[in-house]
């Protein structure tokens, strides 16, 4: 038995209708609706030209600097999958570049999230294929393993199970657990609608900011 070197089956997946409706929800509103307790780390930033990331998690735990299991995942990926790789945050070697990312795009993947480095940044920033990563380096990877595909991973404390929902925008990315998508969508959509009403009030000069003074008074602030 090869411990830590295995391709597991993925036994669940988010339905396309749920993926589609989350595309219109800001990551910040999803995060707020999850009590601000789910966070993939401020280091992992969008590097592509722009656009929303939304799809089903295909997880990989990679040995730092090694992308053999990432290649294995590309061979097994489904359209709409988001490749989410825990490379331990190591930036010594790039785990993916233009060739692998082009292949991921060509087979219909929704995007890539790497807790690690990429290369060919010029190609990434000129294209709309969603790529989130922790850094950039020209030095390439090894291809020896070990690693695991469709295993539970964690990025900066955020647990990601294969088949969970991954959503990303300019503010970063978030994982919505498989069995919480409906509740999170309802809460995030409600918050987003409330923010739209607040923005309308800001624009017409009628926004109510009395809550600030109430909060100061209730907290015992002097001088108000």
């Amino acid at each position: 038995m090869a411990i830590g070197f295995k391709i597991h089956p993925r036994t669940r997946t988010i339905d396309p209708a749920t993926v589609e409706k989350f595309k219109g929800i800001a990551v910040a509103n999803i995060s707020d609706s999850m009590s601000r307790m789910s966070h993939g780390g401020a280091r992992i930033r969008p590097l592509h030209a722009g656009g929303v990331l939304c799809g089903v998690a295909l997880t990989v735990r990679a040995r730092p600097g090694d992308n053999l299991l990432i290649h294995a995942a590309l061979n097994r990926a489904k359209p709409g999958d988001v490749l989410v790789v825990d490379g331990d945050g190591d930036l010594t070697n790039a785990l993916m570049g233009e060739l692998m990312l082009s292949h991921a795009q060509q087979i219909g993947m929704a995007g890539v999230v790497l807790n690690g480095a990429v290369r060919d940044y010029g190609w990434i920033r000129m294209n709309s294929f969603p790529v989130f990563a922790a850094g950039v380096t020209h030095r390439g990877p090894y291809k020896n393993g070990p690693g695991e595909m469709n295993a539970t991973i964690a990025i900066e404390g955020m647990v990601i199970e294969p088949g969970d929902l991954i959503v990303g925008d300019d503010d970063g990315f978030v994982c919505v657990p498989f069995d919480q998508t409906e509740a999170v969508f309802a809460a995030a959509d409600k918050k987003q609608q409330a923010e739209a009403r607040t923005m309308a009030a800001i624009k017409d000069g009628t926004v109510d900011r009395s809550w600030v003074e109430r909060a100061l008074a209730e907290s015992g602030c002097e001088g108000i």
Side-chain angles (χ1 to χ4, degrees):
M1 178 179 179
I3 298 174
F5 199 2
K6 185 174 182 179
I7 296 173
H8 304 272
R10 185 172 62 182
T11 59
R12 59 185 191 174
T13 185
I14 301 291
D15 65 276
T18 298
V19 172
E20 192 61 33
K21 66 184 182 182
F22 266 93
K23 289 180 180 179
I25 304 295
V27 164
N29 290 333
I30 296 171
S31 177
D32 284 357
S33 298
M34 297 172 69
S35 300
R36 302 178 177 91
M37 292 293 289
S38 189
H39 182 41
R43 285 202 313 158
I44 300 179
R45 308 303 306 150
L47 302 180
H48 55 291
V52 172
L53 167 70
C54 195
V56 183
L58 174 65
T59 63
V60 171
R61 180 185 294 120
R63 182 171 70 86
D66 191 286
N67 71 359
L68 178 61
L69 266 291
I70 299 175
H71 279 285
L74 289 178
N75 282 0
R76 293 159 175 80
K78 309 284 188 203
D81 282 349
V82 176
L83 179 62
V84 188
V85 179
D86 177 14
D88 204 33
D90 181 76
L91 304 181
T92 306
N93 300 79
L95 294 176
M96 298 184 77
E98 179 181 355
L99 295 179
M100 294 175 73
L101 293 168
S102 295
H103 179 69
Q105 183 179 38
Q106 193 276 331
I107 62 177
M109 297 192 74
V112 170
V113 176
L114 288 167
N115 188 17
V118 292
R119 64 180 178 181
D120 301 319
Y121 176 50
W123 182 91
I124 295 169
R125 71 172 181 244
M126 293 294 293
N127 284 273
S128 60
F129 182 68
V131 177
F132 290 67
V136 178
T137 182
H138 56 79
R139 186 155 59 178
Y142 300 97
K143 295 174 172 58
N144 307 111
E148 292 186 86
M149 173 183 157
N150 284 327
T152 300
I153 63 174
I155 297 178
E156 298 292 331
M158 184 169 70
V159 176
I160 303 167
E161 302 269 7
D164 284 347
L165 179 69
I166 302 296
V167 187
D169 62 18
D170 289 342
D171 285 335
F173 85 104
V174 69
C175 172
V176 182
F178 178 85
D179 57 358
Q180 296 178 19
T181 54
E182 290 304 315
V184 171
F185 177 80
D189 185 54
K190 181 179 179 180
K191 179 172 177 57
Q192 189 147 305
Q193 292 181 39
E195 288 198 348
R197 292 191 294 270
T198 300
M199 181 58 75
I202 290 171
K203 289 180 177 180
D204 65 23
T206 61
V207 66
D208 179 8
R209 296 190 54 78
S210 61
W211 68 268
V212 179
E213 304 308 312
R214 289 195 302 272
L216 290 169
E218 290 168 2
S219 298
C221 180
E222 296 183 10
I224 59 172

